[in-house]
Amino acid sequence: MNQVVIPIEATGLGRLRKRRQPKGRQVDAAALAEVRAALGDMPRRRDLLIEHLHCIQDRYGQLAMPHLVALAQELGLAMTEVYEVATFYHHFDVVREDADGHIAPPPALTVRVCEGIACEMAGAQVLIDKLPAVLGTDVRVVAAPCIGRCEKAPAVLAGQKPVDGATVEAVASCVAAGTVRDAIAAQNSYGAYKANGGYGLLKALVQEGSLDPAAVICTMEDSGLRGLGGAGFPTGRKWRIVSGEPAPRLMAVNIDEGEPGTFKDRVYLERDPHRFLEGMLIAAAVTQVAAIYIYLRDEYAGCRAILTQALQELHDDPPVPDLPRIELRRGAGAYICGEESAMIESIEGKRGMPRLRPPYVAQVGLFGRPTLEHNFETLYWVRDILEKGAEWFASQGRHGRKGLRSFSVSGRVRQPGVHLAPAGITVRELIDEYCGGMIDGHTFYAYLPGGASGGILPASMGNIPLDFDTLQPHGCFIGSAAIIVLSDHDSAVAAARNLMHFFKHESCGQCTPCRVGTAKALDLIRQPQWDLPALEDLSAVMRDASICGLGQAAPNPVDCVIRYFPHELQAAPDRPEAQA
């Protein structure tokens, strides 16, 4: 068969001209200058992308497309890398030009009204309905997921200023006064902390050599302290595992407590930041990590100021020489970043999407290095355990359990807040002994033992010890010990709808079982009559096939309603609890 050779001139390819400019949006010189001014002398590193986006939005009130294009060039990234991160997080406002090329001015202020379950029970919907008309068109009112102030429900963030026990009048007054920055100071200063023996253990470990790292690990193991962010992995064992991995090792601290009902880390950070920092530095010294990254949720502006000051104090007056490098990273509104591998992705400047495992974070974590990952409160207890001994901590507890637990209690109790109580205490004991009982006119009806993910149990099951591994036989778990108390004025069906709405909103969208499953489940339970076989199938798929704990635990509230509150499902459609 003869081949036919076609001259290139005949194809027209020879007439192709070189493109005069690159594809896509072109960098605007003015926008580039503005981006450079916003970033100042910050390093132009890929892992600082989220920090850079915050700098631009803090300065200009939004993320306009010309600024994103300029930022991409400044960092040497593809525009898609910048855009996908900017649009992933709830607190970034990405705006486009209109048909005439104009960029709409941002609202003067954003007011976030928490619609978490504790705030919904306290009347948040009234605020969401009334505030837009009261505050006017220059203020944007947003229904936001939990902002970590459940004990002071309903809670609002006016800019960065919390308004606790919010009313329409209180929010309007805050906005009118222009007090939209959160300015608080730690209750225990650096000087006071050191005067009371603070950083003595760190000195004994690092400088004096009188405290042996191997002995420290043994003490932590003997204490029985487990991870207090929700997973409950034994702390001493984690230190031993990470210590055995090849250097350089890194450390990541999770203060992204976005679980509805959880606020203990915020409370402890406001009280005594240096107690946490000493525990963190002890863990770093024992495991010999090269650098530490602290990830703090964006809703905690006051805590960010406290930590920034505390870290500066350590830098200016270090308690021991050669402290590891410590970086404070700011979240941007994404519950999923409470999952350890999603948090690590976010610290690296990416979308907060969980990783498939294995490998585990202790082996291949931050920047591909072995990583010691801890929740804030876990490190907060290190000093007390080392000073008082493993037996002191392990001897606490009730009903055969060991240790102490910091319960974040919200809902229909007289004294909501963080209550330090023995592990294994029951919810009835917790309400009566620590929370002052139920509020007037309310009878204990149900409770969430582990925040949004931990399921819902009826008051008749209020004598189960609250601790790790005690609630799983009942389809629940303790997680971060967020206890939300419902009364006879509330509905488990309404609670399940609120929680599934939250899970749908916060799903990262990476895996189909979670992305589609949460949306489908919410549609099903919004119906007056629930399709129980469909919900059962959906629950099984989400548990078995979701990548991370969000999708795996999202069915818990719905399954608990079906199992423990069948009388609510049989309610007539016109009953309040059937429509809540």
Side-chain angles (χ1 to χ4, degrees):
M1 183 174 180
N2 294 329
Q3 291 185 336
V4 178
V5 178
I6 303 176
I8 190 169
E9 294 80 3
T11 66
L13 294 176
R15 298 192 299 273
L16 289 178
R17 297 180 179 177
K18 185 177 180 180
R19 186 180 297 275
R20 294 183 179 178
Q21 62 184 22
K23 286 184 177 181
R25 289 176 175 265
Q26 304 309 300
V27 178
D28 178 78
L32 182 59
E34 291 172 344
V35 165
R36 288 173 174 169
L39 301 188
D41 59 359
M42 289 181 65
R44 282 16 179 205
R45 300 200 322 252
R46 172 66 175 83
D47 64 288
L48 292 173
L49 174 57
I50 294 173
E51 299 296 315
H52 294 153
L53 291 169
H54 274 304
C55 286
I56 296 169
Q57 178 155 303
D58 287 348
R59 187 172 184 124
Y60 298 106
Q62 62 184 2
L63 296 175
M65 293 302 293
H67 285 153
L68 296 182
V69 175
L71 180 61
Q73 174 165 304
E74 187 72 359
L75 296 179
L77 299 175
M79 175 58 183
T80 54
E81 293 180 88
V82 174
Y83 186 77
E84 70 177 5
V85 172
T87 54
F88 180 84
Y89 296 92
H90 303 318
H91 290 187
F92 289 141
D93 294 319
V94 179
V95 296
R96 293 178 173 273
E97 304 93 331
D98 60 21
D100 298 322
H102 298 132
I103 299 174
L109 179 69
T110 295
V111 170
R112 301 182 188 277
V113 180
C114 178
E115 61 176 355
I117 182 168
C119 289
E120 181 184 77
M121 290 161 58
Q125 190 59 50
V126 174
L127 300 175
I128 295 170
D129 292 340
K130 292 185 176 181
L131 281 174
V134 172
L135 299 180
T137 57
D138 287 339
V139 178
R140 175 177 55 178
V141 177
V142 176
C146 184
I147 62 175
R149 308 188 74 84
C150 317
E151 84 279 29
K152 300 175 180 180
V156 168
L157 284 178
Q160 295 181 341
K161 176 70 174 178
V163 183
D164 298 326
T167 62
V168 172
E169 294 75 20
V171 175
S173 176
C174 178
V175 171
T179 53
V180 294
R181 298 284 178 185
D182 192 12
I184 59 174
Q187 297 172 29
N188 193 14
S189 69
Y190 185 40
Y193 182 75
K194 289 197 298 181
N196 195 31
Y199 292 106
L201 286 168
L202 183 65
K203 284 184 179 180
L205 178 67
V206 174
Q207 201 167 1
E208 301 167 1
S210 57
L211 189 60
D212 179 52
V216 170
I217 291 180
C218 288
T219 300
M220 299 307 296
E221 289 177 329
D222 293 343
S223 73
L225 179 68
R226 296 171 65 170
L228 297 173
F233 193 87
T235 302
R237 191 193 310 172
K238 181 180 287 190
W239 291 14
R240 191 176 296 279
I241 290 171
V242 174
S243 297
E245 294 294 324
R249 294 175 286 274
L250 301 175
M251 185 174 182
V253 182
N254 191 338
I255 322 181
D256 191 61
E257 57 172 358
E259 181 77 14
T262 305
F263 46 88
K264 60 184 178 61
D265 293 349
R266 171 184 60 80
V267 170
Y268 283 142
L269 180 51
E270 291 171 351
R271 290 179 186 172
D272 202 352
H274 284 283
R275 185 172 297 273
F276 149 68
L277 290 173
E278 182 172 13
M280 179 188 78
L281 290 170
I282 289 171
V286 168
T287 55
Q288 297 184 318
V289 304
I292 302 171
Y293 295 80
I294 303 174
Y295 190 88
L296 178 68
R297 70 180 309 199
D298 193 36
E299 290 84 350
Y300 289 174
C303 290
R304 187 164 63 252
I306 288 173
L307 263 182
T308 299
Q309 179 180 339
L311 293 173
Q312 188 63 48
E313 290 167 342
L314 286 181
H315 180 270
D316 295 342
D317 181 22
V320 297
D322 301 322
L323 289 175
R325 177 168 53 86
I326 305 171
E327 293 194 22
L328 176 59
R329 295 298 181 86
R330 178 179 172 185
Y335 166 72
I336 191 62
C337 291
E339 196 276 340
E340 62 175 7
S341 65
M343 177 190 68
I344 283 173
E345 289 286 298
S346 190
I347 292 173
E348 293 180 356
K350 305 171 187 174
R351 294 174 294 169
M353 290 190 167
R355 297 175 179 177
L356 293 171
R357 285 164 287 188
Y360 296 97
V361 166
Q363 302 163 314
V364 181
L366 195 54
F367 306 115
R369 301 308 309 163
T371 301
L372 178 66
E373 190 275 342
H374 267 311
N375 167 257
F376 170 94
E377 194 204 348
T378 309
L379 298 170
Y380 189 85
W381 284 109
V382 169
R383 177 186 169 185
D384 277 328
I385 290 172
L386 294 180
E387 283 185 339
K388 299 176 183 178
E391 180 57 28
W392 164 79
F393 188 80
S395 65
Q396 313 290 329
R398 290 188 189 177
H399 306 298
R401 311 304 297 180
K402 294 182 178 181
L404 293 167
R405 295 288 175 268
S406 301
F407 294 97
S408 302
V409 185
S410 60
R412 309 295 192 180
V413 294
R414 288 180 182 271
Q415 298 170 16
V418 175
H419 297 289
L420 183 62
I425 193 172
T426 69
V427 71
R428 286 190 180 276
E429 293 169 337
L430 187 66
I431 292 170
D432 293 340
E433 298 176 30
Y434 290 83
C435 302
M438 301 290 291
I439 59 177
D440 291 342
H442 289 253
T443 301
F444 180 34
Y445 174 65
Y447 67 108
L448 282 67
S453 307
I456 310 173
L457 292 173
S460 61
M461 299 176 67
N463 294 319
I464 301 170
L466 295 173
D467 197 16
F468 296 111
D469 312 319
T470 61
L471 294 156
Q472 280 86 336
H474 310 286
C476 299
F477 59 82
I478 193 169
S480 57
I483 312 297
I484 306 171
V485 179
L486 279 60
S487 77
D488 55 344
H489 292 224
D490 304 308
S491 157
V493 166
R497 288 171 177 159
N498 176 288
L499 300 174
M500 193 57 71
H501 168 75
F502 170 80
F503 290 130
K504 175 188 174 183
H505 184 265
E506 294 300 317
S507 174
C508 75
Q510 180 178 194
C511 67
T512 302
C514 179
R515 181 184 67 250
V516 177
T518 52
K520 181 63 176 176
L522 182 59
D523 288 342
L524 289 171
I525 66 174
R526 277 176 170 165
Q527 303 303 314
Q529 300 296 323
W530 288 13
D531 186 338
L532 300 186
L535 285 168
E536 182 180 357
D537 289 345
L538 192 58
S539 173
V541 171
M542 292 174 69
R543 293 183 188 282
D544 293 342
S546 294
I547 290 175
C548 81
L550 192 158
Q552 295 162 10
N556 283 348
V558 174
D559 291 350
C560 284
V561 169
I562 295 171
R563 183 176 179 181
Y564 298 118
F565 301 89
H567 58 282
E568 288 197 24
L569 299 180
Q570 297 167 3
D574 59 348
R575 284 185 56 183
E577 61 262 39
Q579 296 180 345

